[in-house]
Amino acid sequence: MRLHRLMTVVPALVVSMLSVALDAQQPPEWTSPFPPFHIAGDLYYVGSADLASYLVATPKGLILINSNLASSPPLIRKSVEALGFKWSDIKVLLISHAHYDHCAGSAEIVKETGAKYEVMDADVPVVESGGRADFAYGSDKTMRFAPAHVDRVLQDGDTVSLGGAVLAAHLTAGHTRGTTTWTMDEREGGRTLHMVIVGSPNVNPGYKLVRNKTYPQIASDYTQGFAVLRSLPCDIFLGAHGGYFDLQQKYEKFKGGDRDAFIDPAGYKAYVADRERAFEAELKRQGGR
Ligand SMILES: [Zn+2]
């Protein structure tokens, strides 16, 4: 009797743990709509409540940063059109890094708009294999996405230019081999504001920072990435997830009339320092330093 009860309880427990894990993988904020809005200069927010997408609007067409989940393109399209732009005017598609929550929608967006897909070199195999080449998640089918052809392979320091807008690609690897932090200078109200979209400085649960056979230089890449993030001048602090820069709270202030709600150089510095401390603590925990 006891054994029988145990056997029925255990699978139920496993199932509930699995569903917790799945929920943790895909929080509701990833798919809940968020009002699109003008950030500064030619930059707009077109993402969901947490999965950030950005639109750069130029006289020669649009640049979209992050295609998000496979289910996200219709949501992004709605935001782009609500701002008065044409979906088919997207000429260039960029990503923060090659994880399915930032790039799974790329194949569809490229198909619908004919945009050129431009990706940092070390993330290209992951994007083109639909996640199979990922150093950590390559064998995890739940992390897969539709493969997409990359039209231009970016190197660290490359720029992406369209209609007068210039975005710079900074390699800030570790989270993926090609994690990219995007910067751009925005003209707003007679000022030039340095904008930073952080690619991801986070060490995911289960990441091996020492003796990692599939990504031996992971720890030194994170260290180098933090040096880059610390060196970037930042006025407008943004990132691949709204949670990095408190999107929801800042948007409330913005809606209340604070046009400078997203100008947060101190918040940027504090965020980078906090993430670097978290990385160092995890590295130490794994016996790496
Ligand atoms: Zn990621």
Side-chain angles (χ1 to χ4, degrees):
M1 188 64 183
R2 271 190 188 161
L3 185 68
H4 175 75
R5 278 194 55 188
L6 191 70
M7 299 216 356
T8 54
V9 165
V10 168
L13 196 74
V14 169
V15 166
S16 80
M17 280 166 69
L18 269 174
S19 65
V20 165
L22 285 173
D23 287 349
Q25 247 176 29
Q26 213 171 111
E29 303 82 49
W30 283 16
T31 47
S32 35
F34 199 78
F37 63 98
H38 177 228
I39 300 171
D42 47 16
L43 186 70
Y44 298 81
Y45 188 84
V46 292
S48 71
D50 183 62
L51 291 182
S53 289
Y54 303 94
L55 192 73
V56 180
T58 87
K60 293 273 169 68
L62 308 169
I63 301 171
L64 180 67
I65 304 167
N66 290 331
S67 60
N68 303 343
L69 303 167
S71 64
S72 300
L75 205 69
I76 299 171
R77 179 176 187 157
K78 226 175 147 185
S79 294
V80 169
E81 291 176 348
L83 290 167
F85 299 110
K86 269 176 72 182
W87 185 242
S88 60
D89 281 346
I90 297 176
K91 305 290 182 212
V92 180
L93 175 61
L94 308 172
I95 55 168
S96 290
H97 62 264
H99 279 157
Y100 77 102
D101 48 336
H102 310 290
C103 77
S106 292
E108 166 137 13
I109 291 176
V110 166
K111 197 175 83 186
E112 289 180 9
T113 64
K116 295 275 167 278
Y117 197 18
E118 306 192 7
V119 175
M120 189 65 84
D121 55 355
D123 266 359
V124 170
V126 181
V127 160
E128 294 198 326
S129 68
R132 285 166 183 80
D134 187 277
F135 78 90
Y137 304 126
S139 55
D140 183 347
K141 286 187 179 149
T142 67
M143 306 288 268
R144 300 262 171 89
F145 48 87
H149 170 72
V150 172
D151 300 291
R152 180 184 171 204
V153 178
L154 300 170
Q155 308 295 324
D156 183 24
D158 274 354
T159 55
V160 173
S161 305
L162 186 74
V166 182
L167 282 148
H170 305 268
L171 179 66
T172 48
H175 184 78
T176 67
R177 287 171 177 270
T179 294
T180 307
T181 293
W182 292 100
T183 62
M184 187 167 64
D185 284 349
E186 296 294 349
R187 291 288 300 164
E188 182 67 42
R191 299 168 292 178
T192 298
L193 300 169
H194 303 296
M195 182 280 291
V196 179
I197 301 172
V198 177
S200 178
N202 294 311
V203 179
N204 279 7
Y207 269 24
K208 269 177 71 97
L209 299 176
V210 274
R211 287 180 292 281
N212 186 324
K213 286 200 184 77
T214 52
Y215 189 178
Q217 76 283 20
I218 184 169
S220 57
D221 276 5
Y222 269 111
T223 300
Q224 171 63 20
F226 284 114
V228 171
L229 290 175
R230 273 189 267 111
S231 77
L232 296 174
C234 177
D235 301 304
I236 302 171
F237 167 31
L238 303 169
H241 286 272
Y244 295 1
F245 59 96
D246 297 327
L247 167 67
Q248 312 231 9
Q249 276 169 284
K250 283 175 179 167
Y251 181 72
E252 286 307 313
K253 282 202 228 166
F254 174 85
K255 235 178 34 179
D258 180 0
R259 295 286 310 160
D260 290 347
F262 290 89
I263 300 179
D264 186 13
Y268 173 75
K269 277 205 181 76
Y271 176 76
V272 172
D274 176 71
R275 296 295 79 205
E276 187 164 13
R277 273 194 300 273
F279 159 74
E280 291 292 347
E282 181 59 20
L283 184 60
K284 203 172 161 197
R285 198 188 66 80
Q286 294 188 22
R289 205 169 273 168

